[in-house]
Amino acid sequence: MKPRRPHRQTIRAPGANYKIHIVGDQRKPLRDFYHAILRRPWWFALASITAIFLGANAVFAVLYLLCGGIAHAAPASFADAFFFSVQTMGTIGYGAMYPETRLANVIVVAESLTSLTLTALFTGLVFAKFSRSTARMIFSREAVISPMDGQPALTLRLGNQRGNQIVDARITVNFTRKERTAEGHEIYRALDLPLVRHHVLSLSRSWSVTHRIDASSPFHGQTPESITAQEVEIVVMVIGIDDTTMQPVHASHRYFAGDILWGRRHADVLSELPNGDLVLDLGPFHDTVPTAPTERFPYPRP
């Protein structure tokens, strides 16, 4: 037997400005169709269901044309055969056209079984897509590095765009850079960034995530130029429980070397009114302001 030819697949990494080309993967579209529908937008799911429904009816219309036996259908009329197929698959049954031969009745039975199967599959897909809980998280456009309590720190901001709560929210930040091993091979090494706080009981609107840059940090001794040369990439993952559906939700984002601003901090979004009330202004969510350079952090970068 001739081996199947491996195909070339191109995907875009979530939140990334580059594509990943996969060569040699064995395609299994039917096995992965269910997950593909769940991942794709609604227009793709509805278009796929419509295309399968129309395609199945077209196949049975051809069978009816070949065998005949449909009462009151115009001879050699694909339109009549197609509309009869739709009436049969949709269990409409106007009665104007009906099977009048044994073979036509056999095809009607086959189409009825196909209709039951497709209806069950489509109902399951639509229900699963409706009930699938997703997060609407927003991440600041840039991560910033600035002094905090006299020590450099990497900070990024995230928020929940829905009015609900994400309970037991946990965040993981991964640092990836290009390195050369002792054997002379180039690899991309992934390291976890310790956070000042990696867990909150409830995430509603805004959360500033901070990593202190000390001697053990991968950012220690780095400069804007060095992280660019090392192709540094920061991957952020948030996982929690949606308090409305009580299902796990997650969101991720990537920051590249050009997305990390040195010598700037995120603009304040929380203020207090004279009566003691708090105001959360999400307008400057992505804005940054410069910080004064210090002896330990000489980066008054724009």
Side-chain angles (χ1 to χ4, degrees):
M1 293 179 60
K2 185 178 180 180
R4 290 185 299 174
R5 180 181 180 183
H7 82 292
R8 182 185 185 98
Q9 181 183 9
T10 301
I11 63 175
R12 182 176 294 276
N17 57 2
Y18 62 87
K19 295 180 179 180
I20 302 175
H21 301 280
I22 302 175
V23 180
D25 184 28
Q26 298 294 337
R27 301 190 64 180
K28 298 178 181 179
L30 293 180
R31 181 176 296 180
D32 297 331
F33 178 75
Y34 174 81
H35 293 89
I37 290 292
L38 293 182
R39 291 195 306 267
R40 297 296 184 91
W42 270 105
W43 69 264
F44 181 86
L46 295 177
S48 299
I49 292 174
T50 302
I52 293 174
F53 178 79
L54 295 178
N57 279 286
V59 170
F60 281 101
V62 172
L63 294 178
Y64 291 130
L65 280 179
L66 293 176
C67 76
I70 304 301
H72 303 152
S77 173
F78 177 81
D80 281 358
F82 180 82
F83 292 140
F84 174 74
S85 175
V86 171
Q87 294 171 28
T88 302
M89 186 168 291
T91 66
I92 299 172
Y94 289 125
M97 292 185 290
Y98 56 88
E100 59 182 0
T101 65
R102 182 66 61 85
L103 182 55
N105 276 288
V106 169
I107 297 177
V108 167
V109 172
E111 184 169 12
S112 297
L113 293 175
T114 302
S115 174
L116 289 173
T117 303
L118 292 179
T119 300
L121 291 175
F122 293 159
T123 301
L125 283 173
V126 171
F127 177 78
K129 195 166 181 64
F130 262 117
S131 61
R132 181 171 176 255
S133 185
T134 58
R136 286 188 60 205
M137 301 289 297
I138 182 173
F139 296 84
S140 56
R141 281 192 302 265
E142 296 96 7
V144 296
I145 297 181
S146 59
M148 178 177 291
D149 295 330
Q151 184 177 5
L154 170 77
T155 305
L156 58 99
R157 178 182 285 167
L158 59 91
N160 179 17
Q161 290 186 293
R162 286 199 173 103
N164 67 331
Q165 303 282 331
I166 297 179
V167 299
D168 196 26
R170 300 176 182 272
I171 184 169
T172 303
V173 181
N174 187 265
F175 175 97
T176 303
R177 66 185 174 195
K178 184 171 64 175
E179 294 184 0
R180 185 174 293 275
T181 65
E183 293 76 20
H185 305 300
E186 281 193 350
I187 63 172
Y188 286 91
R189 190 179 301 278
L191 305 169
D192 290 332
L193 291 184
L195 303 177
V196 173
R197 189 180 184 189
H198 69 278
H199 170 235
V200 290
L201 298 179
S202 178
L203 174 60
S204 55
R205 287 299 184 183
S206 180
W207 180 16
S208 290
V209 181
T210 303
H211 161 71
R212 296 191 183 277
I213 302 177
D214 53 21
S216 62
S217 170
F219 277 100
H220 182 69
Q222 299 277 14
T223 64
E225 293 76 21
S226 65
I227 66 171
T228 300
Q230 296 172 14
E231 300 180 12
V232 166
E233 182 177 334
I234 305 297
V235 182
V236 185
M237 174 64 72
V238 183
I239 301 176
I241 306 248
D242 189 309
D243 71 336
T244 303
T245 63
M246 297 307 296
Q247 294 184 13
V249 293
H250 64 87
S252 62
H253 191 73
R254 294 170 184 262
Y255 295 96
F256 300 93
D259 301 323
I260 302 175
L261 305 182
W262 296 65
R264 299 187 72 87
R265 67 175 181 85
H266 290 116
D268 295 329
V269 295
L270 192 64
S271 60
E272 184 177 357
L273 296 177
N275 63 359
D277 292 343
L278 297 177
V279 176
L280 179 62
D281 182 7
L282 298 180
F285 185 88
H286 298 285
D287 295 349
T288 62
V289 295
T291 58
T294 64
E295 182 177 352
R296 297 184 62 184
F297 189 79
Y299 294 105
R301 300 288 174 137

